Amino acid sequence: MKKICGLIILMLTQVAVSSAHEEMHWMPANCTQNREQLFNYFNQAPLLGLDPHDYAFTLVKQLNAGNVPGDSLAVDKLLSQAAISFFSDVAYGTKAVRVYYDGLKYVPDCLDIPQLLYESLSAGSFGQLLTKLEPSTPEYVSLKRLIAVYTDRIQRNDYHNVQITSANVDSNNHPLIDKLFQLGFLDTCAYNVHEDTLLVKTRAAQYMFEFLEDGELRPKVLDEFNISLEKRLVELHHALNTFRWLNCLRKTQPVIVVNIPAAGLFVYKADSTLLYSRVIVGKARTPTTPLASRINEVIMFPYWNVPHNIAVKELLPGIKGAPKIFLEAGNYQVLDKSGKIVDPLTINWQALNKHYFPYTLRQVFGCDNSLGIIKLDFFNPYSTYLHDTPAKSYFMFNSRYFSHGCIRLEEAIPLATLIAPENAAHIDSLSKLKIAPIGAPINIAVAAKPPVIILYEVAWPGVNGVVRFFDDVYEKFR
């Protein structure tokens, strides 16, 4: 049988580890083009947010120098292993996204990497394999584009970590011009840039860092501008890895992603964003925990079972001052350990404290219910859920870190109708009621049980495709 470069009997994974198989794919003279293309792929690793040292780096260096260590068959198999590893990282990411509770047990596996590698070698289309395996989502493309800009700037001979000290937005502020060039807002670092242009680019940079776009270089603005490109690349690589990891999951179903630093919720499906909502997440003292689960239920007119810490630290002092007035004003019920409602006037509130509080406070539906009109529930060990809120004004802030760990939604009803289309009309009609119907709360099952993933990424593209850098509110990237 005539030998063809890349033609194999077994899958490449088997070829890579089986000493019995004698077919080679990279080392023979008629495979030179494939080998050169493979090395070209490895050279692109930094632009892909990958580390070229992970892919037979020493061996590749030796081969490029004209040295073939050991026998050709063993070398060929090592290159096959490196190729499979490289393309797996391109398609799926280099590691699983860290969540503290993983109710999905999701591992991306929607592509047969060894088989696709084999087919591309057999068909002579190996040069198109990278494009075929990379995610095509707009978020991935935006992140990759910015990585290319920052990598180019860092590789310039005149690159240095610029520190801006002057708050003047004019052509005399050379560090500002240098930084705007490094960040990709200016095509050159020429110091004769017109001041109107400089002001426009400064505002664009303020938008990227989620500041008021007024062109004023206040101290906090300068702090963000002065973070090095090296650190920004770490953040971008981290986010790119996350979008690779998400890619298989979102191909066939809506996936709800909450990014804590961005204080935003995104519903992705395939290459589209079906919905975006501003959210309010946990403050640094009471952080929201990264997790993965599935939404199983929509609850209309929900009770709010007040967490113990909130009850004893924030509500109890007010209750002690005027129990009846405080509890009625907030629509609170008091439950005993068996879940029965207790008359608050029969309780000696002065005897209670954070160490002794054998009750549960429950807020019933009303204008001031902390959960608003709707709650989206999913199992997790942190009592975290998505919910509406009566305090809509907080969504106007850029830094929306105000909650005790749960996630308040600006677009609660649209999200509920999106994930439970079979009950969308019912949810919509209930949301228009002025008072809760008899028998509330109303539990509505979500048939599709879509994944919900809460994660922590400082760099993140918005629905307009612009990558933004958010406050590292929990200091996980420092």
Side-chain angles (χ1 to χ4, degrees), residues 232-247:
R232 293 303 184 195
L233 274 175
V234 169
E235 295 164 354
L236 290 168
H237 290 169
H238 202 276
L240 195 73
N241 183 75
T242 294
F243 276 103
R244 286 185 172 125
W245 179 79
L246 284 169
N247 197 45

Side-chain angles (χ1 to χ4, degrees), residues 298-302 373-374 413 427 430-431 440-444:
V298 171
I299 304 172
M300 303 296 297
F301 314 106
I373 198 173
I374 190 168
I413 298 300
I427 292 170
L430 287 173
S431 71
I442 299 172
N443 294 41
I444 301 171

Side-chain angles (χ1 to χ4, degrees), residues 72-385:
S72 295
L73 180 60
V75 170
D76 205 87
K77 291 176 181 177
L78 288 173
L79 290 178
S80 290
Q81 286 180 316
I84 292 169
S85 177
F86 173 81
F87 289 114
S88 296
D89 290 347
V90 165
Y92 301 145
T94 55
K95 56 185 176 182
V97 173
R98 184 181 183 188
V99 291
Y100 293 88
Y101 168 75
D102 184 6
L104 294 181
K105 306 299 181 186
Y106 157 68
V107 177
D109 63 352
C110 57
L111 298 168
D112 189 335
I113 304 296
Q115 182 64 25
L116 289 170
L117 176 55
Y118 158 67
E119 290 173 357
S120 71
L121 290 168
S122 299
S125 59
F126 184 51
Q128 290 78 53
L129 184 59
L130 179 64
T131 301
K132 186 174 183 178
L133 292 179
E134 275 195 285
S136 58
T137 62
E139 301 82 19
Y140 177 88
V141 172
S142 295
L143 288 163
K144 185 182 171 187
R145 185 183 300 120
L146 197 57
I147 287 171
V149 172
Y150 289 5
T151 301
D152 171 74
R153 301 298 196 256
I154 287 176
Q155 290 176 346
R156 289 172 60 96
N157 292 331
D158 60 350
Y159 171 75
H160 61 287
N161 184 23
V162 176
Q163 293 291 303
I164 308 169
T165 57
S166 171
N168 296 328
V169 182
D170 56 41
S171 57
N172 293 319
N173 193 345
H174 292 181
L176 173 61
I177 295 171
D178 290 340
K179 180 61 74 169
L180 290 173
F181 169 70
Q182 289 183 356
L183 292 172
F185 292 103
L186 292 173
D187 295 330
T188 70
C189 53
Y191 297 138
N192 60 350
V193 59
H194 194 279
E195 290 185 8
D196 287 346
T197 299
L198 194 57
L199 183 61
V200 169
K201 300 303 183 180
T202 299
R203 287 172 173 166
Q206 285 178 306
Y207 175 81
M208 172 184 274
F209 297 121
E210 211 189 16
F211 289 109
L212 178 67
E213 301 152 57
D214 59 359
E216 297 290 329
L217 295 179
R218 294 175 296 278
K220 287 188 177 181
V221 176
L222 289 178
D223 287 344
E224 287 298 315
F225 276 40
N226 285 335
I227 290 176
S228 70
L229 283 194
E230 289 85 354
K231 186 173 187 298
R232 293 303 184 195
L233 274 175
V234 169
E235 295 164 354
L236 290 168
H237 290 169
H238 202 276
L240 195 73
N241 183 75
T242 294
F243 276 103
R244 286 185 172 125
W245 179 79
L246 284 169
N247 197 45
C248 288
L249 195 63
R250 64 188 280 187
K251 279 184 180 294
T252 58
Q253 63 184 324
V255 179
I256 300 161
V257 175
V258 176
N259 184 8
I260 295 167
L265 177 145
F266 305 79
V267 182
Y268 300 121
K269 183 179 181 183
D271 288 354
S272 299
T273 300
L274 303 182
L275 183 142
Y276 166 73
S277 176
R278 289 182 290 190
V279 301
I280 294 167
V281 294
K283 54 175 115 33
R285 287 191 297 106
T286 55
T288 299
T289 304
L291 60 87
S293 188
R294 290 186 180 275
I295 294 182
N296 54 55
E297 193 173 45
V298 171
I299 304 172
M300 303 296 297
F301 314 106
Y303 290 134
W304 179 41
N305 292 311
V306 182
H308 178 79
N309 282 344
I310 298 177
V312 298
K313 293 180 180 179
E314 300 182 22
L315 301 185
L316 184 57
I319 297 172
K320 286 183 176 182
K324 184 176 177 60
I325 294 174
F326 187 96
L327 293 169
E328 288 183 355
N331 279 337
Y332 292 106
Q333 296 174 335
V334 184
L335 310 180
D336 63 18
K337 289 183 176 181
S338 64
K340 294 181 180 179
I341 298 175
V342 178
D343 182 351
L345 296 180
T346 65
I347 298 172
N348 181 6
W349 292 100
Q350 303 304 321
L352 304 181
N353 54 58
K354 64 180 181 180
H355 303 294
Y356 175 68
F357 192 83
Y359 302 101
T360 296
L361 298 182
R362 181 173 73 183
Q363 189 177 43
V364 300
F365 178 75
C367 294
D368 296 325
N369 185 290
S370 295
L371 303 189
I373 198 173
I374 190 168
K375 171 184 174 183
L376 288 78
D377 210 5
F378 48 92
F379 178 79
N380 66 91
Y382 313 110
S383 299
T384 298
Y385 40 81

